[in-house]
Amino acid sequence: MPESAHTDGQPTTDVIDQIRDIPIYRDSIERGWFPILEKSEIARGFPDNWMTPQLAAALKRGEAEYVLSTGTNHARMRLIRPPYFLLKTYYRLWNDHPDIGRTFREDCRRVSLTTVLATEHVARVNAAKRGATPDPLPSLADRRLDDRTVYLNLRLDPEQWERDDIERMVGEIRSERRVHPRGWYHLDCSGLHLAHLVRKALAWGVWDDFPRPASVVTAYEYTPANVRQYLEHHLGCPVVDLFGSTELGYLYYSDATGQYHPHLDRMSVELVPLAPGSALHGLIVTSVRNPYMPLVRYRSGDCVRTTDDSPDPAKVVQFCGREKELLPTADGPVSQGDLDACVTAASPRIFLSQLRTTGPREATLRYTTFDGAPLDDAASTALEKLTSDLTGFACSAVHRTRIPIGASGKYAWLVRER
């Protein structure tokens, strides 16, 4: 596939020709050098810093629209993109995927279980088309994004799902599955939300009614290794991960073995070290996939590790979380993925975990388990030692029956109390 940047990260002539009239890039074109593009620069003067006659005309015709990035535990960003931009890149990747592409080509319905904010967005869009106000508890029809995708979740915190919620969602999955002649459906999810659904369906005797999916994708937030293993065990199929964002679309996918592969349609990637001597790299992307807001050397805010610690985008082995959510330590920054490795090594029973710094060099690791029972002394001690060795903090492990979810409907792996 054609590259959109030179090896030093600078855009090719072809890319420059496509961005020449966009105000935010004029100075860089004149200097002949493009610095890394930060989110703050994108927002500065928005939307005038992106406006061209072509974009203004596209907005007027409805070929471009304003949206907000989904956000996790940080500020959301205003964007301009074609309608259904992210969905179309999802569908293309799903179609092309070597392990699950068949389920796209066989017209499987896509059932999405993720944050309630995503469900509410779909309900608002559908209500706006009718000139109505969205129902606080939208019907299945109001939660349908298109003819093959529907959203399930109606609560912010999946820990608060009651039996009625589980029975409703399982029933809606069954109704989508019945449409396919082979009884297939595609399950698109946040891995943590799906694990909550599986746990509760098992606990409340609804599991036998839960139809097994033909394919599963996690695509919304970091999925801990224990959670992926738990889902694969109970669902009996590979759980494929897609990595992307609202502003970029999808860039990488994992295969059935868990190995990541680039899917860089009209884009290229650079990796830059996040600190001297650190093997953590920040993701820098040049993309003209979105014709109305092409991004040149854009810092996505995501951090990755490679198989050999080199800055080779083809060797990405893990997407480790967000740069803004790194924990600074004496030995360099620690990511969500680094903590997850400690959790996984300590016990496969751990479901959710959250590190809370309680002093200059003290922290508490709160955790829940799939079966609701605390770890035994040996596993708890191992968890404390592994976390302390990783962070340099004196860490104590504390079992909880629940870890609060964030306002975005996603979990924070790190909370700084001091």
Side-chain angles (χ1 to χ4, degrees), residues 217-232:
V217 155
T218 58
Y220 295 93
E221 60 183 317
Y222 182 90
T223 301
N226 280 349
V227 171
R228 187 169 307 281
Q229 184 179 15
Y230 178 83
L231 295 176
E232 288 176 346

Side-chain angles (χ1 to χ4, degrees), residues 37-39 42 50 67-71 74-82 85-86 89 243-251 267 283 285-295 298-302 322:
L37 180 63
E38 308 288 352
K39 294 181 190 290
I42 289 176
W50 294 93
V67 298
L68 288 172
S69 63
T70 54
H74 50 81
R76 302 174 77 187
M77 180 172 64
R78 294 184 70 199
L79 305 166
I80 306 170
R81 68 180 191 185
F85 171 75
L86 188 61
T89 67
F243 171 79
S245 66
T246 310
E247 63 271 25
L248 293 168
Y250 291 96
L251 289 76
M267 56 174 53
L283 199 65
V285 183
T286 292
S287 173
V288 295
R289 188 183 285 175
N290 174 357
Y292 304 122
M293 199 170 172
L295 297 169
Y298 165 65
R299 188 190 303 276
S300 75
D302 302 285
R322 304 287 298 173

Side-chain angles (χ1 to χ4, degrees), residues 132-149:
T133 302
D135 193 304
L137 295 175
S139 67
L140 187 63
D142 287 338
R143 289 179 270 125
R144 191 171 295 285
L145 180 62
D146 63 7
D147 60 356
R148 72 187 299 170
T149 295

Side-chain angles (χ1 to χ4, degrees), residues 21 23 26 50-59 61:
D21 296 331
R26 285 175 184 161
W50 294 93
M51 196 59 62
T52 64
Q54 293 79 10
L55 175 55
L59 286 165
R61 293 191 300 266

Side-chain angles (χ1 to χ4, degrees), residues 179-251:
V179 174
H180 195 273
R182 299 189 187 186
W184 289 1
Y185 76 99
H186 174 67
L187 185 51
D188 163 80
C189 66
S190 156
L192 299 174
H193 281 69
L194 180 55
H196 277 294
L197 179 60
V198 172
R199 289 177 70 237
K200 288 178 179 287
L202 286 165
W204 291 334
V206 186
W207 183 243
D208 288 345
D209 294 329
F210 192 118
R212 306 304 184 263
S215 54
V216 181
V217 155
T218 58
Y220 295 93
E221 60 183 317
Y222 182 90
T223 301
N226 280 349
V227 171
R228 187 169 307 281
Q229 184 179 15
Y230 178 83
L231 295 176
E232 288 176 346
H233 172 73
H234 285 288
L235 298 176
C237 66
V239 177
V240 168
D241 188 49
L242 306 185
F243 171 79
S245 66
T246 310
E247 63 271 25
L248 293 168
Y250 291 96
L251 289 76

Side-chain angles (χ1 to χ4, degrees), residues 224-227 229 339-353 365 367-371 373-376 378-384 386:
N226 280 349
V227 171
Q229 184 179 15
L339 180 66
D340 185 41
C342 295
V343 169
T344 305
S347 173
R349 292 177 50 224
I350 298 174
F351 175 21
L352 300 171
S353 63
L365 183 66
Y367 71 91
T368 69
T369 57
F370 293 108
D371 59 15
L375 299 177
D376 60 29
S380 181
T381 299
L383 180 59
E384 291 175 344
L386 288 165

